[in-house]
Amino acid sequence: MRLGRAAYEKELLRLQTELVKLQEWVRAEGARLVVVFEGRDAAGKGGTIKRVTEHLNPRVARIVALPKPTERERTQWYFQRYVEHLPAAGEIVLFDRSWYNRAGVEHVMGFCTPAEHRLFLRQCPVFEHMLAEDGILLRKYWFSVSDAVQEERFRRRADDPLRRWKLSPMDLESLTRWEAYSRAKDEMLVHTDTADAPWYVVESDDKRSARLNMIAHLLSTVPYQDVALPALALPPRPPSTGYERPPKDLQNAVPDHAAALRDA
């Protein structure tokens, strides 16, 4: 049964308020938080990231969604291009897909060799152990969606001009490789679900529940506390010194498009 909108919006606002507290704690403590969002296409990662960051300071919490690697990046150590996006003190980084591309789409679609895939599965736990050992708070979420719901979401995207851009040929290809992606995911979890960096699975057929569950869990895993903020008081506006605004007709004004709506 789908979670009702009223209950969803009320709890989302409460959780987003806690996320702001988490942000202030990260900034005050100089903590470094990395949140990895992975899962099948149309599993709800993007919508959840949007709700996580909706009220956060983009100078503190930033989203990393890397395009396919350049020719130069293909010759680097695989993890190299991700390292430069890791947070400094007082920052939160949310990876909208991450280094786990190699365990998923690259492996299934043949964009990496079997040897490169095996090397990734060996090196990834070591890489993540190094992150944790250095004090980075790493949280990894896998968004799990059923085949029927994924197909339904693809069809809605295809018919929606506002979301059509979300549907790519690669997405459509994933429909025909459902079991291959499932096997790749299972193998990935076996090798990379570690004590240093465990995976957390988010059931996402109901997007509203998935968003609340993921955010609530994230908050429960970070030992944040309320940070005392300085009291703010608006200063009195000083008296005018005679400034006059230049005539508006000397400026290039944006046409009042809204006027037609008000007059309708």
Side-chain angles (χ1 to χ4, degrees):
M1 182 177 178
R2 191 183 186 195
L3 180 63
R5 178 171 292 278
Y8 162 71
E9 291 183 347
K10 180 180 179 180
E11 180 62 7
L12 178 61
L13 180 60
R14 187 189 73 81
L15 293 174
Q16 288 176 327
T17 302
E18 291 300 313
L19 284 171
V20 173
K21 295 179 183 178
L22 169 65
Q23 167 192 265
E24 294 307 306
W25 176 84
V26 165
R27 183 158 55 178
E29 294 294 318
R32 292 171 293 166
L33 175 60
V34 172
V35 187
V36 168
F37 292 80
E38 291 287 346
R40 296 180 188 272
D41 298 312
K45 303 180 295 299
T48 303
I49 293 171
K50 181 178 179 180
R51 272 67 180 184
V52 169
T53 60
E54 187 171 6
H55 299 289
L56 300 185
N57 184 342
R59 293 181 177 85
V60 176
R62 54 189 169 87
I63 302 168
V64 175
L66 298 183
K68 66 180 183 180
T70 64
E71 290 300 321
R72 181 176 183 274
E73 287 171 334
R74 287 191 179 96
T75 68
Q76 296 174 343
W77 177 48
Y78 177 71
F79 296 94
Q80 188 169 333
R81 77 181 188 130
Y82 295 99
V83 168
E84 65 177 292
H85 295 282
L86 293 173
E91 293 180 349
I92 302 170
V93 172
L94 300 95
F95 280 95
D96 185 355
R97 297 201 181 277
S98 65
W99 46 89
Y100 282 99
N101 277 336
R102 176 136 296 179
V105 64
E106 289 190 17
H107 174 50
V108 173
M109 300 300 295
F111 298 152
C112 68
T113 67
E116 289 172 330
H117 177 242
R118 290 192 298 270
L119 181 62
F120 170 83
L121 293 178
R122 290 199 304 272
Q123 288 187 342
C124 186
V126 179
F127 172 66
E128 293 179 347
H129 172 74
M130 293 171 65
L131 299 184
E133 190 175 45
D134 202 59
I136 290 178
L137 303 172
L138 175 61
R139 303 294 182 266
K140 304 187 305 189
Y141 292 96
W142 176 269
F143 284 71
S144 179
V145 64
S146 65
D147 52 354
V149 170
Q150 183 194 49
E151 184 173 351
E152 177 189 350
R153 290 175 182 172
F154 280 168
R155 293 188 187 282
R156 289 206 301 267
R157 287 181 180 182
D159 297 333
D160 186 344
L162 296 180
R163 295 188 294 172
R164 177 64 181 79
W165 63 270
K166 290 186 175 184
L167 197 59
S168 70
M170 197 72 67
D171 296 332
L172 301 180
E173 182 72 19
S174 69
L175 283 175
T176 65
R177 303 191 184 217
W178 179 271
E179 291 191 0
Y181 273 102
S182 296
R183 294 188 182 96
K185 180 261 295 183
D186 293 343
E187 186 176 11
M188 177 195 77
L189 293 180
V190 166
H191 287 86
T192 63
D193 184 20
T194 65
D196 289 316
W199 276 104
Y200 298 102
V201 176
V202 182
E203 296 295 335
S204 61
D205 276 3
D206 179 350
K207 287 185 177 182
R208 294 173 185 170
S209 295
R211 293 165 185 166
L212 299 183
N213 293 341
M214 179 269 151
I215 297 172
H217 181 269
L218 173 64
L219 292 167
S220 74
T221 67
V222 180
Y224 72 98
Q225 300 174 353
D226 278 338
V227 174
L229 300 177
L232 298 177
L234 291 178
R237 189 181 297 278
S240 171
T241 59
Y243 168 79
E244 293 185 8
R245 181 177 177 177
K248 292 184 179 181
D249 58 9
L250 297 180
Q251 302 169 340
N252 294 316
V254 173
D256 192 357
H257 172 76
L261 304 177
R262 292 193 296 268
D263 298 338

